[in-house]
Amino acid sequence: MEKNNFLTPLVEVRNCTMEFPGVKALSNVSLSLLPGECHALVGENGAGKSTLSKCITGEYQMTSGEIFVGGNQIKQSSYSIRESQALGIAIVHQEFQLMQEMTGVENIFVGHYLTQGGLIHWKELAAKAQEIMEFLQCDINLSIPVKRLRTAEKQIVQLAKAILSDSKVLILDELTAVLQEKEIENIFRIIGIIKKRGIGVIYISHRLDEIMSCCDTYTVLCDGRYVNSGNVKDISMPQLIKMIIGRDLNQVFPPVNEKTGDMVLEVRNLTAPKAFRNINLEVRQGEVIGLAGLVGAGKTELVHAIFGNHKITSGEVLIRGKPVKIKSPREAIKLGIGLVPDERRLLGLNMLFDIKDNTILPSMSKFKKFFAFRYRSSGVVMAINLFRAIRKDSNGKK
Ligand SMILES: Nc1ncnc2c1ncn2[C@@H]1O[C@H](COP(=O)(O)OP(=O)(O)O)[C@@H](O)[C@H]1O
Ligand SMILES: [Mg+2]
């Protein structure tokens, strides 16, 4: 679909500037979205894509600039998520915002329960949920807790929830970052269905091939500044990359290291029932090893097993040639192993700590060894910060 200048945009942002204390996240950014259009919002990490989305959804109020929804100007001083939702603007994030213990139906309808005489009409809700699934042509069990669904299925529950309330604008912020190729194709198919309904989609993704194959139009941001916008069919991938990073990209990946050093990690016949069997692996200094496989192939379990966080029944792990029995992540860290997990919020970070505390958390023992006092004091500081964070969190929720 090409830009049609005679249609009223579903959303139009004019000269949006957003300042946080000490950071100008957006400076004079404009964007417009037409009915049935899939508009890519692209830029490097920190370019301001999520901030612009949050200005559109009313989570942030812009420092200056104007937003029009369906041709009507929004009053910034009172704009809120509630108002944007009422205007039909919905957002789906990469990080799950579902209640894990609740079923798909409960998650989809939370806040919109149909009641009769004070009782929730579950049968009707289940039928309505089924209708949405049929509309999206997806077959997902919505009567079990969402924690038992696969990642891709959870994303679809989030999508269903977003389009339930007659959305006109759907913002997808890095939705596909955690999905596999086949599942991404399914999301594209769903976007196709949504577009036919006249819903406009703002699509944020790092994967440029997705942009090229799924989006009609684009806006590029760089360091919070507007760079360019237009029709996707008029540009090539190298042109898009140049706009995003501001120069030609000659080398996508670092060169392969020909001179690897000593063996640092060996995995021999490692087996964990139901996860993986007889895995052998060698990693040398200066080497990058790729672990490939479909979802459920056991990749995550394997790295967690090496890290002492998944039970193994046979096989061995050697660090610098010496057999080791790693029974906990603590032991793995002591042996010099680091793990950046896929579920960052759940496993990688303590979201109540600030960046400094998160950074020193894995190396606390070092402070203990050499600076008993400092270790103690940093422990105390962390406890205070945790207390503060919890208090702030619960105040925020009131
Ligand atoms: N709540 C916030 N407080 C302060 N700075 C923020 C906040 N949210 C985002 N930023 C900053 O604004 C800039 C844009 O961030 P973001 O919109 O998240 O980028 P993107 O989504 O493109 O990766 C970054 O420099 C980021 O650190
Ligand atoms: Mg972002």
Side-chain angles (χ1 to χ4, degrees):
M1 186 185 140
E2 282 195 50
K3 275 271 179 211
N4 177 339
N5 294 325
F6 300 107
L7 280 175
T8 307
L10 295 169
V11 171
E12 191 180 355
V13 180
R14 289 189 200 156
N15 304 319
C16 166
T17 294
M18 180 74 211
E19 286 172 13
F20 295 109
V23 185
K24 198 176 207 174
L26 293 170
S27 165
N28 264 321
V29 172
S30 299
L31 177 149
S32 94
L33 177 74
L34 293 175
E37 174 183 346
C38 184
H39 189 101
L41 185 56
V42 284
E44 286 188 291
N45 252 338
K49 306 178 296 293
S50 296
T51 303
L52 182 58
S53 313
K54 289 174 185 169
C55 289
I56 295 173
T57 59
E59 186 172 338
Y60 297 152
Q61 290 173 355
M62 304 184 300
T63 312
S64 66
E66 297 169 329
I67 296 185
F68 296 80
V69 178
N72 301 315
Q73 185 166 3
I74 299 292
K75 193 172 157 210
Q76 268 306 303
S77 57
S78 59
Y79 194 40
S80 62
I81 296 183
R82 195 175 282 258
E83 187 181 346
S84 79
Q85 280 174 348
L87 291 168
I89 299 176
I91 185 161
V92 180
H93 299 278
Q94 167 197 347
E95 312 279 359
F96 293 114
Q97 310 210 310
L98 297 172
M99 282 158 282
Q100 298 292 326
E101 303 294 336
M102 290 168 81
T103 67
V105 174
E106 287 167 329
N107 267 287
I108 291 174
F109 290 99
V110 68
H112 307 268
Y113 288 140
L114 295 168
T115 54
Q116 200 175 36
L119 297 173
I120 297 174
H121 233 302
W122 287 115
K123 256 193 180 159
E124 213 165 304
L125 288 181
K128 246 186 138 182
Q130 200 48 44
E131 245 174 63
I132 301 172
M133 283 301 128
E134 274 163 29
F135 170 63
L136 299 177
Q137 295 165 22
C138 293
D139 186 17
I140 294 172
N141 186 348
L142 295 176
S143 58
I144 56 170
V146 293
K147 67 175 181 194
R148 283 169 51 198
L149 296 177
R150 291 183 303 115
T151 306
E153 292 175 327
K154 286 187 202 167
Q155 296 289 43
I156 290 166
V157 172
Q158 297 207 111
L159 272 174
K161 184 176 163 63
I163 61 167
L164 166 80
S165 39
D166 277 336
S167 302
K168 296 186 182 71
V169 174
L170 186 58
I171 305 176
L172 306 180
D173 192 352
E174 306 265 7
L175 181 76
T176 52
V178 287
L179 298 186
Q180 310 276 321
E181 212 159 303
K182 222 174 108 204
E183 298 155 349
I184 293 171
E185 271 169 29
N186 194 34
I187 298 285
F188 287 177
R189 188 185 58 77
I190 293 174
I191 289 176
I193 298 174
I194 289 171
K195 274 171 45 171
K196 275 201 198 120
R197 243 199 193 187
I199 296 174
V201 179
I202 296 179
Y203 190 88
I204 302 176
S205 173
H206 272 116
R207 301 187 187 170
L208 301 185
D209 52 334
E210 287 180 15
I211 307 286
M212 301 308 286
S213 60
C214 170
C215 299
D216 306 298
T217 47
Y218 67 89
T219 291
V220 179
L221 301 182
C222 185
D223 289 336
R225 282 171 293 102
Y226 168 90
V227 176
N228 205 354
S229 60
N231 292 312
V232 168
K233 73 170 186 40
D234 297 335
I235 49 159
S236 65
M237 184 105 93
Q239 282 171 320
L240 188 59
I241 292 172
K242 194 169 178 178
M243 284 183 228
I244 292 170
I245 62 173
R247 60 185 162 81
D248 283 315
L249 186 69
N250 302 318
Q251 198 169 29
V252 180
F253 299 110
V256 173
N257 191 0
E258 305 281 347
K259 286 190 220 139
T260 54
D262 295 340
M263 191 82 78
V264 282
L265 173 75
E266 274 169 88
V267 170
R268 291 188 190 153
N269 297 320
L270 210 61
T271 298
K274 291 193 191 146
F276 53 82
R277 235 177 312 129
N278 285 331
I279 304 292
N280 290 285
L281 196 74
E282 295 181 346
V283 187
R284 293 179 174 276
Q285 263 176 351
E287 189 177 32
V288 178
I289 299 275
L291 268 185
L294 293 175
V295 173
K299 308 182 297 292
T300 306
E301 288 83 353
L302 175 61
V303 290
H304 277 274
I306 296 170
F307 201 59
N309 201 21
H310 189 98
K311 199 169 181 300
I312 47 175
T313 46
S314 60
E316 58 177 349
V317 174
L318 292 87
I319 302 278
R320 296 185 184 281
K322 270 196 212 137
V324 287
K325 290 237 177 305
I326 304 174
K327 289 198 208 70
S328 69
R330 184 192 294 260
E331 290 175 28
I333 292 168
K334 263 192 201 157
L335 289 164
I337 303 177
L339 175 72
V340 181
D342 52 354
E343 295 256 12
R344 288 168 298 168
R345 272 180 183 238
L346 202 64
L347 304 170
L349 297 168
N350 185 332
M351 298 307 285
L352 294 177
F353 282 174
D354 62 16
I355 297 171
K356 192 174 75 196
D357 288 348
N358 266 295
T359 315
I360 59 169
L361 206 50
S363 44
M364 283 281 276
S365 59
K366 279 192 197 151
F367 293 92
K368 181 179 159 191
K369 206 164 170 187
F370 301 112
F371 304 102
F373 176 67
R374 226 164 100 185
Y375 164 71
R376 262 209 203 116
S377 66
S378 59
V380 170
V381 169
M382 266 196 202
I384 292 171
N385 281 351
L386 178 61
F387 175 68
R388 272 203 210 135
I390 292 171
R391 228 178 45 173
K392 215 166 85 194
D393 204 46
S394 58
N395 283 342
K397 278 183 192 145
K398 269 181 204 157

